[in-house]
Amino acid sequence: MSLFETLLGARTYDLAQGFQVGMPQSPNHPSFQMSLVRRHGDMMRSDGGSAANEIIVTGGHVGTHIDALCHVSHDLCLHGGVATDDVTSNKGFSQYGVESIEPFVGRGVFLDIARLQGVDVLSPGQAVTADDLERALVAAGIGIGPGEAILIGTGWGRHWTDRARYEGQSEGVPGPDPSGAEWLAAHHPRMVGAETIAFEQIRPGAGHATLPVHRALLVDA
């Protein structure tokens, strides 16, 4: 059976949150803003026609998104030891931009950590460890092949309509800790993802002061 035939019979899931003004987001990025700059009737054509036009302003890491390799550096070096100064200009990045990510169609493995622990939602600031991921994989009774997608279920998406709780600036957000990042990297996935504000354990009151999982997966691995 061809890939096309397989996809025709596949069940698809939309994992994205809809964009809207005031939605939760990382405090490090410009917020999503949309406004109608021309409303119907502001300009009328001779035949009675009218048009509405919007303006959208947003950071690239707002809402459901993917991190390019140029997103995170350590000691001013990107993945592979590329110096940030060598690839950065006011036009963006000449290397490791999101355009360098080839389209991906492939198998995804969902590791439901919340279900494993018998809860709907993990606690604020809770770590998803290597042991958690391994036990979830065993419980699922499946394997992970290189180049596949690994998705972590924390249940945190249930807090999407509560912006302060979802962002977790005071109470924290669950996510993988450095041991979890090492476990993920060892399986050589094409991509990893979760439904949290950042793919990271955010401790109570710590905010985004340090992001060791981002470094492990985007710089080191």
Side-chain angles (χ1 to χ4, degrees), residues 34-81:
M34 189 193 82
S35 178
L36 284 177
V37 294
R38 177 179 289 174
R39 299 173 180 268
H40 292 292
D42 287 349
M43 187 191 75
M44 297 292 295
R45 296 184 173 87
S46 60
D47 63 355
S50 181
N53 303 100
E54 74 283 348
I55 183 170
I56 295 174
V57 179
T58 186
H61 292 77
V62 174
T64 307
H65 64 274
I66 186 169
D67 287 354
L69 288 180
C70 64
H71 179 47
V72 172
S73 67
H74 187 72
D75 291 334
L76 297 181
C77 283
L78 302 173
H79 175 68

Side-chain angles (χ1 to χ4, degrees), residues 39-165:
R39 299 173 180 268
H40 292 292
D42 287 349
M43 187 191 75
M44 297 292 295
R45 296 184 173 87
S46 60
D47 63 355
S50 181
N53 303 100
E54 74 283 348
I55 183 170
I56 295 174
V57 179
T58 186
H61 292 77
V62 174
T64 307
H65 64 274
I66 186 169
D67 287 354
L69 288 180
C70 64
H71 179 47
V72 172
S73 67
H74 187 72
D75 291 334
L76 297 181
C77 283
L78 302 173
H79 175 68
V82 175
T84 56
D85 285 349
D86 293 342
V87 296
T88 307
S89 73
N90 62 348
K91 296 180 180 180
F93 294 89
S94 60
Q95 192 169 338
Y96 291 152
V98 73
E99 75 283 351
S100 66
I101 302 175
E102 296 181 357
F104 173 73
V105 177
R107 179 172 180 261
V109 175
F110 179 60
L111 301 180
D112 195 342
I113 308 301
R115 182 178 183 182
L116 178 73
Q117 299 191 7
V119 297
D120 290 331
V121 186
L122 296 185
S123 300
Q126 183 174 343
V128 175
T129 67
D131 181 64
D132 292 327
L133 294 169
E134 184 64 30
R135 289 192 298 117
L137 184 63
V138 171
I142 55 178
I144 301 174
E148 296 181 338
I150 305 175
L151 304 177
I152 297 176
T154 67
W156 202 248
R158 290 177 169 83
H159 296 318
W160 177 255
T161 56
D162 185 342
R163 179 171 180 172
R165 185 171 181 82

Side-chain angles (χ1 to χ4, degrees), residues 14-25 32 62-65 160-161 166:
D14 185 355
L15 302 181
Q17 295 282 6
F19 277 65
Q20 59 186 16
V21 175
M23 67 181 181
Q25 66 160 83
F32 173 79
V62 174
T64 307
H65 64 274
W160 177 255
T161 56
Y166 187 86

Side-chain angles (χ1 to χ4, degrees), residues 1-11 105:
M1 181 178 291
S2 69
L3 175 61
F4 180 72
E5 290 172 323
T6 301
L7 292 176
L8 283 178
R11 179 182 298 178
V105 177

